[in-house]
């Protein structure tokens, strides 16, 4: 006794027709990816020119804001590069993260002579200093912060308040873009080391 076929001849013809047709989906996907890539590149170029592009992360009551730069490799290729971040503590009010320095850092005056000030705490916009000379330090001065590995940051320091007899709080502003990046990079390095310390102890 002959069994009925699993598929009718019409169904077999339909499957054969599908198999013989060229595959169009991969080509459409590739075209879509190309279009998205061109649109994204144009958008990044526009936003990057306006210096408004950043990558923000939030964790453990902290906010890190990494600047993103669009770097042109050639006429057709470009890539995004991360800069050193601004680091903030999150709480009732967000404020710049303050580093308690592992050791005092010297500050030179604008003639590259010892200013009598040493930095004890540091953030991207302020510092706590100790003053070794008699009297009160100048309210507004140009200083060079001497960082490890022979790095230095030129900044303008403005006195905010006297903390006690020898300690003063200053707001700081870097003088050049290179100084800003050097300061951010140093703070980010120290921040990364601080985050790794509890794991190392365990």
């Amino acid at each position: 006794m002959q069994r009925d076929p699993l598929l009718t001849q019409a169904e077999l013809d339909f499957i054969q027709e599908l198999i013989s047709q060229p595959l169009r989906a991969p080509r459409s996907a590739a075209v879509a990816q190309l279009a998205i890539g061109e649109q994204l590149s144009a958008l990044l170029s526009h936003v990057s020119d306006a210096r408004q592009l950043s990558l923000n992360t939030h964790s453990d009551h902290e906010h890190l804001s990494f600047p993103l730069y669009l770097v042109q490799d050639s006429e057709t290729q470009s890539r995004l590069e991360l800069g050193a971040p601004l680091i903030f503590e999150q709480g009732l009010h967000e404020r710049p993260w303050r580093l308690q320095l592992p050791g005092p850092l010297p500050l030179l005056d604008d003639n590259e002579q010892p200013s009598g000030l040493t930095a004890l705490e540091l953030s991207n916009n302020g510092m706590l200093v100790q003053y070794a000379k008699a009297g009160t330090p100048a309210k507004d001065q140009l200083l060079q912060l001497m960082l490890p590995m022979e790095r230095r940051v030129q900044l303008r320091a403005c006195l905010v308040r006297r903390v006690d007899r020898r300690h003063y709080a200053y707001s700081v502003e870097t003088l050049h873009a290179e100084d800003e990046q050097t300061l951010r990079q140093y703070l980010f390095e120290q921040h990364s080391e601080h985050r790794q310390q509890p794991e190392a102890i365990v």
Side-chain angles (χ1 to χ4, degrees), residues 185-199:
Q185 186 63 42
Y186 173 70
L187 289 170
F188 184 49
E189 290 167 5
Q190 294 298 310
H191 179 267
S192 299
E193 287 183 17
H194 277 251
R195 289 181 65 88
Q196 292 170 4
Q197 282 176 0
E199 295 177 8

Side-chain angles (χ1 to χ4, degrees), residues 115-118 120 129-138 141 165-168 170:
S115 66
L117 297 169
T118 52
L120 305 177
V129 301
Q130 180 174 309
Y131 190 51
K133 295 181 179 180
T136 304
Q141 51 188 316
R165 188 172 63 88
R166 297 180 62 197
H167 298 93
Y168 298 84
Y170 276 84

Side-chain angles (χ1 to χ4, degrees), residues 4-114:
D4 294 333
L6 294 175
L7 297 174
T8 66
Q9 187 60 45
E11 291 168 333
L12 288 170
D13 292 342
F14 177 71
I15 291 173
Q16 186 62 38
E17 183 182 346
L18 287 177
I19 292 172
S20 63
Q21 287 180 354
L23 296 175
R24 296 177 185 173
R27 261 185 289 173
S28 299
V31 170
Q33 286 178 353
L34 180 61
I36 289 171
E38 290 172 353
Q39 292 171 1
L40 183 59
S41 181
L43 174 64
L44 292 176
S45 297
H46 173 71
V47 177
S48 179
D49 289 343
R51 298 187 181 278
Q52 296 175 349
L53 193 61
S54 63
L55 173 67
N56 292 275
T57 65
H58 299 265
S59 63
D60 299 329
H61 307 292
E62 289 181 335
H63 167 204
L64 276 66
S65 181
F66 294 84
L68 288 170
Y69 303 101
L70 192 65
V71 178
Q72 203 77 25
D73 286 337
S74 65
E75 292 183 1
T76 56
Q77 292 185 348
S78 57
R79 69 179 191 278
L80 284 174
E81 286 189 355
L82 283 175
L86 289 171
I87 308 171
F88 302 95
E89 296 175 357
Q90 292 183 311
L92 190 58
H93 300 288
E94 188 173 81
R95 68 176 189 179
W97 176 73
R98 288 184 288 187
L99 167 66
Q100 290 189 353
L101 293 164
L105 293 177
L107 289 151
L108 304 181
D109 62 21
D110 54 351
N111 295 317
E112 299 195 0
Q113 298 300 313

